[in-house]
Amino acid sequence: KTYVIVSGNVACIRRLNGTHQVGCSSEINGNVGVLHYINDTDSLNWLINSGPHQPYVALLTSLNFNRDTVQQLRNSKKITGIIVIHTDDSATTPLPDSFSPADKCPGDLYGLYHNNQEYGNCKKVTWNEDGNGMFFEDFEFPISIVTNKNETDYLINNCYLKFNQPTQGVPREYPLCAVQMKSRMAAAKDSETCIRRTNTPTNLNPDKYCDALGDKNVIGFFKDVPEDYKPEKKSIILAMARMDSYSLFENIYPSADNQVSGIVALLAAAEALRKYKDHFDNTTKDILFTFLNGEAFDYIGSTRMLYDMDKGALPLKLKMDHIDRIVEVNQLAYREGGKIWIHADPVSRNDPNISSEINDMISTILDIGKNLSDIVGAVDQTQPLPPASTQKFLQKTLVPALVLTDHKKTFTNKYYNSRFDLAKTISAMVNASDNGYNHVTDQASNLTVAATLLARSLYTLATGSPAPEGLMAEQQSVTHMLYCFLISPNCDLFKQVIPPAREAFDDLASQKSPYPFYVSVYGQINNVTRIIQRLLTHYIGTVEKNHTESCTSSEKASLQLYNYLWMAGPLNSDNKTRTVTCVKSRVTQTKAYSPAFEITDYNGWGGFQYSTWTESSWATNALLLRVFLIPSKAMEVGLLCTGIFFILASLGLVYFITRKSTSLFSLDNEIEMTPR
């Protein structure tokens, strides 16, 4: 009964790049402090100016957890940890007006405009004005969120209010309620040091201090082609979206606007184009649907794709020479002025031919947008590209490229790369039920139009012909994808495309929250990556009947022209069984793993060529948060002194008894032993 364990504890962890460590870590046995609840300025000032029982663990509301408050607490030298309330209850976790732990100019060091005197470091546009940069801070104490409302109520009512709350500004007497926060990270300093330590075994069971971030990209060629097909130069339209994000806290990566809106729009566009696949022949360009991973960490996925192009390691030995144009979809949920905005690179416009092609692309998309309630606008030609994967491709080779977003200048997403980028903040929240699964939200309607715009634009760019009026995205598909990505993966759409194995269905049924959109450490493929590959296969592939022996349940990367996947298929009329299908497609995975971790004796750790991000490892028992009562220092000293007194007294008594044992324990009468 000494401790109360807080199980809904989600920690801030440590990550490293080529030059720094960022994130949080505790002492090896955890940090202990008296709990103090900060819900207004007065309670903050009391801790900083009057609190006598340091060190403290500060309990903050979602509104009070910001850079200014954390910095004040840090400067006070009175805290040893921070707990943040983050539950599903809007009363205990109200949405702040804005919160983004990213910096104000995301990805600039590795982007197209790094060291550019005119556009670098967001000189023209500060893209993420609400960015506070907390993700890139190195905190010397642990920070955690508590997601269980009952546990946050216990911390406030049974711990703080009962034992610690000052009475009219006067601190309470002991005993006080304290918290032990433990989140000990193994890595330190930077990725180069950590990797070197990991690769230098010091015993028979070598320690692993960190792991490189990485996963897989998903790419899918649209056209059906013969087995001896070889792409020609300028024969492919690259249609891209990003798959990953980050936040301050482990496994809390919702990414509703940041990634999901773009992913859903691109997948829905692919599905819409599937109905007109017979319009694509050897006279038209192909479309390469590409979903890039690790982009939030200095463009891991796009950098690796370009690296593999140079090495001839992609399907069809794909090169940048094969890419004719690029269209990328980014954030689409918060439309500034109700429009989708077209961005282009002003540096590319220095080439008259490329500038002319960019203008043609913009004109084409604007014309298509006019027939869709005039939902498209173009930004000023002198404005640089926003943070986007397209920047990495243009670093390699200048080609006509556009990025479609929901913002004209500064991000309209106030929760960029944060735990608040949720379904409810983009008007896509529904109940986790069958009715919710089929409920068309405002966001589903908006993204359906966006997907239609994208599908028609890709059709026209690839074929050179106006898109058919019947080319439209399916509102039901968009509705289902939003539900499955943002509300619950245990949905019928995901069940249709997973392998027809009991383990796959059991895994879906066990998911209590949406899949996290975090690239994670390289080695095991993420659920989001797997499901996007299967959805793209489902939407642009062909159901096979004659080649089922080629089918597999594995989503492994492949250089084969065609790949085959078993899928559980749609429900039959009995609503119990499913029609298992074998789907043939040109969809596969490619590496999203920085070359920095594969190049022997890599020496560019401090440069900006390849991403160098790693994640610290930690022991299985390294994450802990528990509550207990502590006595006063005087009482602790008194108990210690009393214990020492009794030990010394006991030693003296034992010594005395030992010295006097002969007289104390001698027999009055000797017992004679009679011989036999």
Side-chain angles (χ1 to χ4, degrees):
K1 295 185 178 180
T2 303
Y3 299 101
V4 174
I5 305 294
V6 179
S7 59
N9 161 46
V10 181
C12 159
I13 63 173
R14 176 171 288 169
R15 297 178 181 88
L16 310 96
N17 60 19
T19 55
H20 294 83
Q21 65 180 28
V22 302
C24 315
S25 180
S26 73
E27 299 294 333
I28 193 166
N29 292 317
N31 294 25
V32 176
V34 174
L35 188 72
H36 184 73
Y37 180 40
I38 297 175
N39 60 348
D40 54 28
T41 304
D42 290 340
S43 55
L44 172 64
N45 291 335
W46 186 90
L47 184 151
I48 294 172
N49 301 319
S50 306
H53 302 307
Q54 63 190 63
Y56 286 94
V57 168
L59 177 63
L60 301 180
T61 66
S62 56
L63 300 181
N64 289 309
F65 181 64
N66 53 59
R67 187 184 183 87
D68 290 340
T69 301
V70 171
Q71 202 57 47
Q72 288 183 63
L73 291 170
R74 200 175 185 180
N75 293 340
S76 74
K77 306 295 184 183
K78 283 188 171 183
I79 65 162
T80 190
I82 293 176
I83 300 172
V84 185
I85 298 172
H86 184 77
T87 69
D88 292 332
D89 179 36
S90 58
T92 57
T93 309
L95 277 173
D97 292 335
S98 64
F99 185 86
S100 172
D103 54 24
K104 293 184 181 296
C105 198
D108 179 70
L109 290 176
Y110 287 77
L112 177 64
Y113 306 112
H114 179 54
N115 288 332
N116 185 297
Q117 295 300 314
E118 187 174 0
Y119 304 114
N121 199 28
C122 290
K123 286 187 175 68
K124 287 278 188 179
V125 182
T126 302
W127 295 109
N128 188 28
E129 284 190 344
D130 296 301
N132 56 40
M134 288 178 69
F135 182 87
F136 301 99
E137 287 277 336
D138 179 28
F139 295 100
E140 64 276 11
F141 48 78
I143 303 177
S144 293
I145 60 174
V146 176
T147 59
N148 186 299
K149 184 179 183 302
N150 292 332
E151 291 178 335
T152 60
D153 290 344
Y154 182 90
L155 289 171
I156 295 171
N157 300 320
N158 294 48
C159 181
Y160 173 73
L161 295 179
K162 188 174 181 180
F163 294 99
N164 299 353
Q165 185 182 35
T167 305
Q168 296 181 343
V170 178
R172 295 278 283 273
E173 297 295 331
Y174 288 93
L176 296 173
C177 184
V179 175
Q180 179 188 17
M181 299 182 68
K182 186 179 178 184
S183 56
R184 180 66 175 180
M185 300 289 113
K189 193 180 178 184
D190 54 48
S191 290
E192 181 183 10
T193 303
C194 182
I195 293 295
R196 185 178 66 247
R197 291 178 65 202
T198 297
N199 293 337
T200 306
T202 56
N203 53 52
L204 294 177
N205 295 306
D207 295 316
K208 198 167 192 178
Y209 297 98
C210 63
D211 297 279
L213 296 185
D215 190 47
K216 298 288 185 181
N217 298 322
V218 174
I219 65 171
F221 296 89
F222 182 67
K223 286 201 317 185
D224 288 330
V225 294
E227 292 290 344
D228 59 351
Y229 171 75
K230 295 188 184 305
E232 298 177 356
K233 289 185 178 181
K234 303 292 183 183
S235 64
I236 295 172
I237 307 292
L238 186 58
M240 299 191 300
R242 304 165 72 168
M243 279 199 288
D244 71 302
S245 69
Y246 57 75
S247 77
L248 272 174
F249 303 101
E250 176 71 355
N251 281 331
I252 309 292
Y253 313 104
S255 203
D257 178 41
N258 199 11
Q259 313 304 344
V260 173
S261 60
I263 290 170
V264 169
L266 190 55
L267 286 172
E271 181 193 29
L273 285 166
R274 173 69 183 83
K275 300 167 189 173
Y276 296 89
K277 203 169 187 178
D278 57 346
H279 291 198
F280 290 74
D281 53 31
N282 57 8
T283 65
T284 63
K285 300 184 188 302
D286 202 353
I287 301 172
L288 177 59
F289 293 98
T290 304
F291 297 86
L292 297 168
N293 221 332
E295 297 299 275
F297 292 93
D298 298 333
Y299 303 106
I300 294 174
S302 52
T303 301
R304 182 56 191 238
M305 189 170 178
L306 289 164
Y307 179 83
D308 285 343
M309 283 182 176
D310 289 341
K311 299 294 183 182
L314 294 179
L316 302 176
K317 297 191 180 298
L318 183 71
K319 306 281 187 184
M320 272 302 293
D321 290 346
H322 299 135
I323 305 301
D324 180 56
R325 300 174 187 193
I326 297 174
V327 178
E328 180 178 355
V329 284
N330 214 313
Q331 305 173 83
L332 293 175
Y334 300 102
R335 294 185 190 169
E336 185 175 349
K339 292 182 180 291
I340 294 171
W341 295 95
I342 306 173
H343 301 256
D345 170 41
V347 177
S348 301
R349 288 183 177 276
N350 293 332
D351 183 317
N353 293 329
I354 293 179
S355 181
S356 176
E357 290 188 63
I358 289 173
N359 290 334
D360 290 344
M361 291 171 70
I362 292 174
S363 177
T364 296
I365 297 176
L366 287 173
D367 288 343
I368 294 170
K370 287 178 182 177
N371 295 324
L372 294 170
S373 303
D374 197 22
I375 64 163
V376 186
V379 305
D380 189 276
Q381 291 188 8
T382 62
Q383 183 173 300
L385 286 173
S389 303
T390 297
Q391 291 195 27
K392 294 304 294 184
F393 288 89
L394 296 184
Q395 270 186 335
K396 182 72 175 178
T397 304
L398 292 180
V399 296
L402 301 179
V403 178
L404 307 183
T405 73
D406 57 8
H407 54 91
K408 186 176 183 181
K409 289 188 175 181
T410 298
F411 289 168
T412 49
N413 182 2
K414 300 296 184 182
Y415 308 109
Y416 181 78
N417 277 344
S418 89
R419 67 191 191 281
F420 295 113
D421 193 6
L422 300 162
K424 64 182 178 182
T425 63
I426 66 166
S427 302
M429 188 66 191
V430 294
N431 294 324
S433 64
D434 289 339
N435 291 333
Y437 177 65
N438 292 307
H439 178 71
V440 180
T441 61
D442 291 341
Q443 192 58 247
S445 299
N446 291 338
L447 284 180
T448 301
V449 179
T452 299
L453 170 75
L454 184 58
R456 292 180 179 180
S457 300
L458 292 173
Y459 180 96
T460 301
L461 294 174
T463 65
S465 303
E469 290 187 8
L471 179 54
M472 300 179 66
E474 293 288 342
Q475 189 176 74
Q476 186 181 58
S477 295
V478 173
T479 298
H480 290 168
M481 279 191 280
L482 285 175
Y483 179 93
C484 297
F485 280 124
L486 296 177
I487 308 299
S488 172
N490 187 26
C491 60
D492 189 64
L493 175 62
F494 283 9
K495 290 176 182 177
Q496 286 185 47
V497 300
I498 61 174
R502 175 49 54 190
E503 294 83 0
F505 283 91
D506 290 344
D507 180 67
L508 273 186
S510 67
Q511 298 296 324
K512 304 302 181 186
S513 59
Y515 287 142
F517 286 83
Y518 172 54
V519 63
S520 194
V521 298
Y522 188 75
Q524 185 172 358
I525 302 172
N526 291 338
N527 285 322
V528 165
T529 306
R530 292 177 182 275
I531 209 70
I532 287 177
Q533 180 186 1
R534 287 184 163 271
L535 285 172
L536 184 60
T537 301
H538 172 64
Y539 287 143
I540 69 174
T542 305
V543 175
E544 281 290 298
K545 294 182 179 179
N546 300 324
H547 296 89
T548 55
E549 68 278 358
S550 303
C551 243
T552 174
S553 294
S554 172
E555 305 95 347
K556 290 182 179 179
S558 172
L559 292 177
Q560 296 178 11
L561 187 63
Y562 285 98
N563 294 300
Y564 300 81
L565 283 178
W566 281 116
M567 295 188 182
L571 274 173
N572 294 323
S573 57
D574 60 4
N575 287 326
K576 293 180 180 179
T577 59
R578 293 180 178 272
T579 303
V580 177
T581 56
C582 175
V583 184
K584 170 187 174 183
S585 74
R586 296 171 65 203
V587 178
T588 188
Q589 298 173 358
T590 65
K591 277 187 177 181
Y593 182 60
S594 175
F597 302 109
E598 291 186 343
I599 297 173
T600 304
D601 297 325
Y602 180 67
N603 60 3
W605 297 100
F608 305 108
Q609 182 179 12
Y610 299 128
S611 173
T612 55
W613 281 100
T614 57
E615 178 183 288
S616 174
S617 56
W618 58 85
T620 54
N621 63 346
L623 303 181
L624 174 70
L625 197 155
R626 59 184 181 178
V627 183
F628 58 98
L629 295 180
I630 56 171
S632 66
K633 293 297 180 184
M635 184 176 179
E636 289 180 335
V637 171
L639 288 171
L640 177 63
C641 292
T642 302
I644 293 173
F645 170 77
F646 277 111
I647 289 174
L648 294 176
S650 300
L651 291 174
L653 182 61
V654 170
Y655 177 76
F656 173 78
I657 291 173
T658 303
R659 289 290 303 271
K660 300 294 184 179
S661 61
T662 304
S663 58
L664 288 174
F665 301 107
S666 62
L667 297 176
D668 293 335
N669 300 305
E670 292 184 358
I671 300 175
E672 294 184 2
M673 300 298 293
T674 304
R676 292 183 179 180

